[in-house]
């Protein structure tokens, strides 16, 4: 019996693995690492936003609910933070561009960024309906 393998689209997120310094509308660090098996990417955050420290964990991958034979089409995530919030996102890697939709794909709240040619910088912006978004730069530190 063969073991299932993560799909190519999910594996495109491998370029996020490592620890990054985040600057812009939030300041701090994020670390991405794969859960054993490679089906879920975990993000640990330690940031300051609006003068308040926030830590959290995000689990990124395809949903495969109980009883399902196949995972869902979208790469989804759920984020949990130290302030009691949960946020859902959809990740859409496309070449050197990463779009993270707030809630569902096509949402008016989203992040879109581009990787540098060496892959060690991700520069983009969060866009929120009605304003209030911010620019963000992630620089790999290890």
């Amino acid at each position: 019996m063969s073991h299932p393998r993560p799909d190519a689209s999910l594996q495109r997120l491998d370029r996020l693995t490592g620890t990054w310094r985040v600057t812009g509308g939030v300041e701090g660090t994020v670390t991405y690492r794969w859960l054993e098996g490679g089906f879920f990417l975990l993000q640990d955050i330690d940031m300051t936003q609006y003068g308040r420290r926030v830590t959290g964990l995000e689990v990124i991958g395809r949903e495969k609910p109980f009883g399902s034979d196949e995972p869902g089409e979208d790469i989804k995530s759920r984020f949990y933070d130290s302030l009691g919030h949960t946020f859902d996102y959809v990740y859409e890697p496309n070449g050197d561009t990463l779009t993270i939709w707030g809630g569902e794909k096509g949402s008016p709240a989203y992040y879109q960024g581009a990787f540098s040619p060496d892959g060690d910088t991700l520069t983009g912006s969060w866009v929120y309906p009605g304003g209030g978004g911010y620019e963000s730069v992630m620089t790999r530190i290890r």
Side-chain angles (χ1 to χ4, degrees):
M1 186 171 185
S2 67
H3 291 285
R5 297 176 155 275
D7 63 85
S9 185
L10 184 60
Q11 290 176 343
R12 283 188 215 127
L13 295 179
D14 189 59
R15 68 192 315 176
L16 289 170
T17 59
T19 300
W20 303 75
R21 180 179 1 320
V22 181
T23 58
V26 297
E27 303 282 329
T29 59
V30 297
T31 300
Y32 291 90
R33 59 191 165 83
W34 287 105
L35 187 65
E36 187 175 342
F39 291 95
F40 297 97
L41 186 64
L42 306 178
Q43 178 188 195
D44 297 296
I45 74 145
D46 188 344
M47 301 217 199
T48 301
Q49 184 174 27
Y50 309 120
R52 186 178 215 176
R53 182 173 183 234
V54 179
T55 60
L57 171 69
E58 183 176 21
V59 180
I60 306 160
R62 296 192 190 279
E63 292 180 338
K64 187 175 178 186
F66 185 75
S68 296
D69 291 330
E70 297 295 324
E73 182 177 329
D74 291 334
I75 299 171
K76 294 188 174 189
S77 78
R78 172 147 296 168
F79 174 75
Y80 305 87
D81 77 15
S82 57
L83 303 176
H85 300 110
T86 59
F87 299 112
D88 293 327
Y89 299 98
V90 174
Y91 277 64
E92 189 174 18
N94 186 6
D96 287 333
T97 301
L98 176 62
T99 304
I100 304 171
W101 301 99
E104 296 296 324
K105 190 183 279 186
S107 166
Y110 63 92
Y111 167 84
Q112 190 165 64
F115 286 94
S116 62
D118 66 4
D120 287 338
T121 305
L122 179 62
T123 303
S125 297
W126 281 97
V127 176
Y128 300 137
Y134 59 88
E135 292 185 14
S136 176
V137 177
M138 288 191 352
T139 305
R140 188 184 312 274
I141 56 178
R142 59 177 184 256

